[in-house]
Amino acid sequence: MVIYYSSFADKRVITCDDVEDFLIHTREESEFSLFGYIAKGKLESSLECLQTILHMSDANAAAATVVSRLAGYFRKALAIHRNMQNGLGIDEALKTRTLDLDRGITMPKDKDIYKSAVSRYNMNDIKRILICLARYDVQVKEVGALMQQTVLEKCISDIIVHKGGKGPKLEFASLRQR
């Protein structure tokens, strides 16, 4: 870290924010860490994480797996909501098997992420998000490699900002003849 910051001529003092930024940008990101940012509603961090995931490996393969993995995490969150609807408290709902082949969520960090997800997104939100992810899954596969990141960024924005609903349609400049 010191070597990295010594490359900045104007950098004399390393602050706590500098340390945090360095750690965030040097850690390995995954689809689950992306889900964690989405669960907390952190749009900017989610977009940065997505960019890191897409640049770490083959972007086409990564783009295809991002949507499917996010859908899996949201299906677990929906199952947790159903467990809670059946009378379980959040801690018991997390411990209970969430999907047919899944065991309960036991890791403290994972529990925190799922708690954030179920508190931020209600059952109807998650259902909309799953439909949204299915729509974007098709789009990611249809668009060329150059547009996949843009499509995924729009997907994440629709999830965080519009909770799976469609945001305003993007309009682009066009030339009109009078």
Side-chain angles (χ1 to χ4, degrees):
M1 183 175 69
V2 172
I3 294 168
Y4 171 74
Y5 280 114
S6 67
S7 66
F8 295 94
D10 61 335
K11 194 70 168 166
R12 299 279 183 235
V13 176
I14 298 174
T15 65
C16 289
D17 289 338
D18 293 330
V19 173
E20 186 175 335
D21 287 344
F22 180 81
L23 292 175
I24 287 172
H25 292 333
T26 57
R27 74 175 209 183
E28 189 170 319
E29 298 286 10
S30 68
E31 290 84 359
F32 191 69
S33 55
L34 174 60
F35 175 69
Y37 294 125
I38 292 170
K40 294 175 182 150
K42 295 183 173 185
L43 181 60
E44 186 177 332
S45 298
S46 297
L47 296 175
E48 286 178 10
C49 180
L50 173 67
Q51 188 175 30
T52 302
I53 291 169
L54 294 177
H55 288 97
M56 280 186 340
S57 61
D58 175 28
N60 286 335
T65 60
V66 165
V67 176
S68 64
R69 293 239 173 105
L70 285 177
Y73 302 137
F74 275 105
R75 280 192 294 275
K76 276 187 181 181
L78 183 62
I80 292 166
H81 265 298
R82 286 190 177 128
N83 288 341
M84 291 170 58
Q85 196 174 39
N86 290 333
L88 297 177
I90 183 71
D91 291 322
E92 281 301 311
L94 289 165
K95 289 179 193 174
T96 305
R97 265 179 57 173
T98 53
L99 300 172
D100 290 340
L101 300 174
D102 192 30
R103 57 183 215 277
I105 298 159
T106 57
M107 299 294 291
K109 182 180 176 190
D110 296 356
K111 284 182 180 183
D112 289 342
I113 289 171
Y114 278 102
K115 282 180 181 181
S116 294
V118 297
S119 69
R120 179 169 176 74
Y121 305 104
N122 64 38
M123 282 184 77
N124 289 329
D125 294 338
I126 294 176
K127 289 175 184 177
R128 265 194 321 275
I129 289 168
L130 288 169
I131 293 167
C132 173
L133 286 166
R135 257 193 343 264
Y136 278 105
D137 187 40
V138 171
Q139 287 183 18
V140 164
K141 291 172 183 168
E142 288 178 345
V143 300
L146 294 175
M147 290 299 294
Q148 285 178 333
Q149 181 172 340
T150 303
V151 170
L152 288 170
E153 288 171 350
K154 177 76 168 94
C155 175
I156 290 170
S157 173
D158 284 351
I159 291 170
I160 294 173
V161 178
H162 305 289
K163 295 188 176 183
K166 291 183 180 179
K169 185 172 180 170
L170 298 177
E171 295 190 27
F172 298 94
S174 62
L175 299 174
R176 294 185 191 190
Q177 291 183 346
R178 292 185 189 222

